[in-house]
Amino acid sequence: MPRFSVIVPCFKVQGFLRECLDSVLLQSFNDLELIAVDDCSPDGCGAILDEYAERDPRVKVLHLPENVGLGRARNAGLPHATGDYLFFLDSDDTLTPGALRAVADRLAEAEDPDVLVFDYARTYWWGGTRRNVLAQVLAEAGADTFTATDRPEILDLLMVVWNKVYRRDFVEEHGFEFPPGYYEDTPWTFPVMLSARRIAALDRICLNYRQRRQGNILSTTSRKHFDIHDQYERVFAFVAEHEELAGWRPYLHRKMGEHCLDILAKPDRLPPADKAEFFRRTAEMFRRHRPEGALVDGEVALLEGGYPAYRLKRQAARAGQEAGRWTAQLRREAALRARSGWTGLHARRPLDPHLVVYSASSHRGVLGDPAAVYRKAREIAPQLRGVWVVRDEEAAAQLPPDVEHVLVGSRRYLEVTARAKFFVNDVNWPGSLAKRPGSVHIHTHQGTPLKYMGADLLDKPGARLGFDVPQMLRRADRWDHSLVANRHSELVWERAYPCHFTSVRTGSPRNDVLVGAADGDGAAFRARHGIPEDHLVVLYAPTRRDYRRGGHVDRIDLARFAADLGKGCTLVVRLHPTLATGPARGMGLTELARRGIVVDATDEPHVEEVMLASDVLVTDYSALMFDYANLDRPIVVHADDWAAYTASRGAYLDITAEAPGHVSHSYRELAWLFASGSWQDEEAARLRADFRERFCEFDDGRAAERVVRTLLLGESMPEGAAVRIPGQNAGSDLLAST
């Protein structure tokens, strides 16, 4: 028998059906059967299903003689299911790549629980993606199985059927089935979850929940929404039949009230003339099922009064929200006037020649090039006072205790930025920061540029979506010095930022630790993540994509890559910082890291430490490769979508032709490079040497010292230290000096 029976009811979804079916049948895990139920759909769904069944024996099609609705269509598929687990998939939703493999692995790890709950993401018709806001509940559940009593917060997740799989024997033993009508998931999910003795959680996005612009049944204005009352009656009846569940009555009573009030509050659900009746029926049901001693407060307390009182409170709440927005606007304007006055007061005082203000990565902490300059200044110029700008209290809490800091926008921030002589940053300062005559702005950038930046994005509308290029250039007009690590960067920055700054060939301060790296420098990272000393550490660092809204595209099956690397190897993954808080990690990385298959280094604050701990870098088009080349360790470029990447973002050089190592154009080629050992052969070493000669040109291990002495102190560099500045390679460049 197959591991999964995927039941897909279909009705008027011909435009989405093929994508849904393909997302199941093209999974890497294929031990499944797909039971498609044509719910007498009047469009082309039936023909599409027959087409798929003809070419794939795993597809079974049921054509119902009349339309019975979503719940009973699922019931029709149940007797035909032979799999160990049932998966109910709506026909306009899709599975994410690798979802069934992840679910199967988690089921095996949990030793076949009754129910497995997994994560999902909402995908919007306009292209946006948003992860389930309660995903942390799944992360906190851990590896052990549990019951709803053990972890009642599991019921705070969306109570739908499609974010779970169910052991078929468990479903048949209890006789669970779907009722007719809207909200049919409610009397299925609550009884199932309360009855399950072993529940497991999977912190991975396995399903894309399509948010259609129109055509969503529950967004249709209709009296059918009154079905919610019958569905909760079924839930209460189930609890009444099972005395051991009596303790759940207060929770379900409150949940019913909140659910019905949410339906009533939505403008597109109930006909206006029927809202009073819906409220009265909800209130009557709320009173009838109220357990003795149940606390009624908050929103559900509205059900204790009549409909006129409910409407008045709703109107008052809306008025209060509007008043709150207006008050907040007035406060912002008043604060702006106060800040302007405060800044003006300090702007009349002389600049402090010993005050240096630092920021990095949009005020995230002591990071990157500015951090390297700061540390060197404390070492060789203690008379300089360094103050860091951080974005919020959370970022401030991560700072070392001896680091002086201010919160962006605060009064102290206004004071130090009005008085500082020097500013060091790797991204632009806020537009509200006015540059005083005599102040010196040092811009470090964030590495060597491969992709288009600045003004060059004017011809790349997709890449500059939401990015104001003219405003960015006005902020760059404040730069006095632009640090470069090679002549390629010098040409790029002068073209991409047509502003009045001086390029300074200092090298990248953050790379000083890489140039002077010694054996064992990455030992702390390895020990912290439990990586054996004798393991080969492969660092995979993909960048974001501008041709996909949200920026994340899975180019490699991480579990497969980790397995193909074999024993004695550890795969470390570091996502682009802009993807750290989005759905990217939920697509499998978090779960693989929990199971010890990979190490997730995305949250590591110091990327230099991650690089030092690795033996080889695999990347696509991340600028990290230019920094990593200073280590003189192998680099593999995985360029399977180079044409799409350059078309959407643009690139200053063809990295596939001037690579720092071997280039793979498919996963098969990537796997072969490691299986054959070619990733570290003589050709890889030659390519790396040419790349280092060109792009590590000014990195000599003394970049931070050079910035402090020459730009902050106005001194010359002392003699006596070895300097590695090789001549520029005569490689071709898509830039021309003007």
Side-chain angles (χ1 to χ4, degrees):
M1 68 177 63
R3 188 59 165 161
F4 296 108
S5 293
V6 184
I7 299 176
V8 184
C10 308
F11 182 75
K12 296 177 69 173
V13 288
Q14 63 179 7
F16 307 106
L17 184 54
R18 291 182 185 277
E19 186 180 1
C20 172
L21 300 176
D22 287 343
S23 77
V24 177
L25 299 173
L26 298 180
Q27 288 281 312
S28 58
F29 185 92
N30 57 23
D31 185 15
L32 62 93
E33 62 182 2
L34 193 155
I35 302 169
V37 183
D38 172 17
D39 191 14
C40 200
S41 185
D43 58 5
C45 285
I48 293 172
L49 296 178
D50 289 339
E51 173 193 331
Y52 273 76
E54 185 175 349
R55 68 171 186 246
D56 194 321
R58 295 174 298 170
V59 179
K60 304 176 184 177
V61 179
L62 304 177
H63 295 283
L64 301 185
E66 61 180 0
N67 177 249
V68 297
L70 183 58
R72 287 191 286 184
R74 289 171 179 155
N75 290 341
L78 277 173
H80 300 271
T82 62
D84 297 329
Y85 279 85
L86 303 172
F87 195 141
F88 298 98
L89 178 65
D90 287 353
S91 49
D92 55 352
D93 296 337
T94 56
L95 299 186
T96 60
L100 289 185
R101 168 59 66 186
V103 171
D105 289 346
R106 182 70 182 99
L107 290 173
E109 180 188 40
E111 299 180 344
D112 286 3
D114 297 330
V115 181
L116 172 67
V117 187
F118 53 79
D119 202 8
Y120 66 92
R122 296 176 187 266
T123 57
Y124 295 87
W125 60 269
W126 42 265
T129 299
R130 182 167 63 89
R131 189 177 186 180
N132 165 28
V133 295
L134 295 177
Q136 191 62 28
V137 171
L138 297 173
E140 293 171 351
D144 295 334
T145 58
F146 53 90
T147 65
T149 302
D150 299 330
R151 289 188 171 274
E153 63 272 18
I154 199 71
L155 300 182
D156 292 333
L157 296 173
L158 197 61
M159 281 291 98
V160 290
V161 68
W162 43 255
N163 62 352
K164 309 169 185 72
V165 294
Y166 313 87
R167 188 166 56 82
R168 184 168 58 87
D169 290 346
F170 164 71
V171 170
E172 292 177 350
E173 175 189 347
H174 288 80
F176 294 125
E177 63 178 8
F178 294 91
Y182 280 15
Y183 304 102
E184 75 291 333
D185 286 5
T186 299
W188 168 282
T189 51
F190 280 117
V192 164
M193 294 298 286
L194 297 181
S195 301
R197 307 317 305 160
R198 299 181 66 247
I199 302 171
L202 173 60
D203 182 21
R204 185 196 194 276
I205 297 172
C206 295
L207 182 140
N208 287 322
Y209 176 31
R210 189 188 300 273
Q211 306 294 286
R212 293 160 65 176
R213 185 169 182 267
Q214 56 185 2
N216 187 322
I217 293 176
L218 291 184
S219 295
T220 304
T221 303
S222 166
R223 281 186 61 87
K224 288 289 290 179
H225 294 283
F226 279 78
D227 289 353
I228 188 64
H229 300 121
D230 291 337
Q231 306 298 20
Y232 272 101
E233 289 288 5
R234 293 182 171 98
V235 174
F236 288 127
F238 181 86
V239 171
E241 293 170 1
H242 297 78
E243 293 183 3
E244 72 276 10
L245 301 180
W248 285 101
R249 290 185 63 217
Y251 173 86
L252 295 170
H253 172 255
R254 187 180 192 90
K255 195 75 171 179
M256 180 273 293
E258 292 173 346
H259 195 168
C260 292
L261 286 174
D262 181 63
I263 294 170
L264 183 61
K266 293 229 176 4
D268 60 349
R269 299 293 171 91
L270 294 161
D274 295 327
K275 289 190 173 183
E277 179 187 354
F278 185 90
F279 178 88
R280 287 192 296 270
R281 288 184 57 177
T282 300
E284 188 278 328
M285 186 176 178
F286 190 74
R287 288 191 297 270
R288 180 158 41 86
H289 287 287
R290 179 176 178 176
E292 184 177 352
L295 179 64
V296 177
D297 60 356
E299 184 183 16
V300 294
L302 295 172
L303 293 169
E304 296 282 287
Y307 184 64
Y310 165 80
R311 290 192 63 190
L312 285 174
K313 289 182 179 180
R314 288 283 302 172
Q315 291 168 359
R318 285 194 292 268
Q321 291 171 355
E322 184 62 32
R325 285 192 291 268
W326 177 248
T327 301
Q329 176 65 22
L330 292 177
R331 286 176 178 170
R332 283 193 295 269
E333 293 175 357
L336 180 60
R337 289 193 296 271
R339 285 197 298 269
S340 298
W342 183 260
T343 304
L345 173 66
H346 286 278
R348 290 192 290 271
R349 298 172 63 187
L351 295 175
D352 183 341
H354 297 116
L355 179 56
V356 187
V357 177
Y358 296 90
S359 180
S361 300
S362 299
H363 317 309
R364 288 198 300 115
V366 182
L367 304 167
D369 289 315
V373 174
Y374 169 76
R375 287 191 289 266
K376 183 58 68 173
R378 294 186 67 172
E379 175 189 335
I380 65 177
Q383 70 273 29
L384 295 177
R385 173 191 169 201
V387 179
W388 280 85
V389 175
V390 292
R391 60 187 179 184
D392 51 32
E393 292 288 357
E394 183 180 353
Q398 305 302 316
L399 299 177
D402 60 341
V403 173
E404 185 178 356
H405 69 276
V406 295
L407 299 183
V408 64
S410 67
R411 181 170 291 189
R412 289 278 297 127
Y413 164 82
L414 298 174
E415 178 183 342
V416 298
T417 55
R419 296 289 315 283
K421 169 74 173 181
F422 300 101
F423 293 80
V424 182
N425 200 346
D426 60 5
V427 295
N428 266 317
W429 293 98
S432 58
L433 193 156
K435 186 178 190 296
R436 290 186 63 186
S439 64
V440 178
H441 282 241
I442 300 169
H443 195 77
T444 71
H445 303 283
Q446 291 185 316
T448 294
L450 171 61
K451 61 188 178 185
Y452 275 10
M453 307 289 287
D456 290 327
L457 292 176
L458 289 171
D459 292 330
K460 296 292 181 181
R464 62 178 173 84
L465 181 65
F467 182 60
D468 189 335
V469 173
Q471 180 188 71
M472 178 272 302
L473 293 179
R474 287 192 295 271
R475 295 180 179 184
D477 282 332
R478 296 174 295 197
W479 302 353
D480 292 289
H481 303 295
S482 168
L483 307 189
V484 299
N486 47 66
R487 273 171 269 200
H488 163 81
S489 296
E490 189 173 308
L491 291 174
V492 168
W493 301 138
E494 291 180 6
R495 164 178 152 169
Y497 299 98
C499 305
H500 300 288
F501 58 79
T502 299
S503 294
V504 188
R505 297 178 174 181
T506 57
S508 292
R510 68 183 185 189
N511 288 343
D512 289 348
V513 296
L514 304 181
V515 174
D519 292 340
D521 280 356
F525 175 90
R526 290 190 176 215
R528 190 161 63 249
H529 292 279
I531 301 174
E533 292 183 5
D534 61 344
H535 266 217
L536 176 78
V537 175
V538 179
L539 171 58
Y540 175 52
T543 192
R544 61 178 292 119
R545 301 301 198 272
D546 293 288
Y547 60 76
R548 176 72 60 85
R549 186 181 290 271
H552 174 67
V553 179
D554 274 325
R555 307 307 310 177
I556 291 177
D557 183 332
L558 297 177
R560 180 181 178 185
F561 188 34
D564 288 345
L565 288 173
K567 294 182 179 179
C569 296
T570 295
L571 178 60
V572 176
V573 181
R574 183 179 176 86
L575 298 179
H576 191 276
T578 61
L579 302 176
T581 57
R585 293 162 89 174
M587 297 299 288
L589 176 56
T590 298
E591 174 65 9
L592 293 175
R594 184 193 67 78
R595 292 167 51 200
I597 294 174
V598 304
V599 172
D600 181 3
T602 304
D603 287 336
E604 287 287 336
H606 304 293
V607 67
E608 299 86 1
E609 188 178 10
V610 183
M611 289 190 283
L612 287 167
S614 66
D615 299 297
V616 53
L617 170 67
V618 177
T619 186
D620 35 39
Y621 324 116
S622 171
L624 200 68
M625 72 177 82
F626 298 96
D627 302 329
Y628 197 86
N630 281 287
L631 290 170
D632 197 20
R633 298 175 188 174
I635 301 172
V636 175
V637 175
H638 185 56
D640 65 334
D641 65 340
W642 177 242
Y645 183 84
T646 53
S648 61
R649 179 66 190 230
Y652 292 112
L653 67 148
D654 184 353
I655 198 63
T656 65
E658 302 177 71
H662 289 296
V663 178
S664 59
H665 297 91
S666 66
Y667 178 76
R668 183 176 182 179
E669 291 181 9
L670 176 64
W672 179 86
L673 285 172
F674 280 90
S676 65
S678 300
W679 61 276
Q680 58 178 342
D681 62 11
E682 292 184 4
E683 177 64 8
R686 184 191 67 79
L687 292 169
R688 185 168 69 253
D690 291 345
F691 192 84
R692 291 178 68 237
E693 184 179 11
R694 181 178 178 190
F695 294 108
C696 302
E697 187 177 3
F698 306 134
D699 281 334
D700 62 355
R702 302 184 66 191
E705 180 186 0
R706 192 170 289 111
V707 172
V708 173
R709 293 194 185 279
T710 63
L711 301 184
L712 300 184
L713 300 178
E715 302 175 353
S716 298
M717 285 287 287
E719 300 295 331
V723 179
R724 176 178 62 81
I725 305 182
Q728 184 181 22
N729 191 14
S732 61
D733 200 311
L734 300 185
L735 294 170
S737 181
T738 58

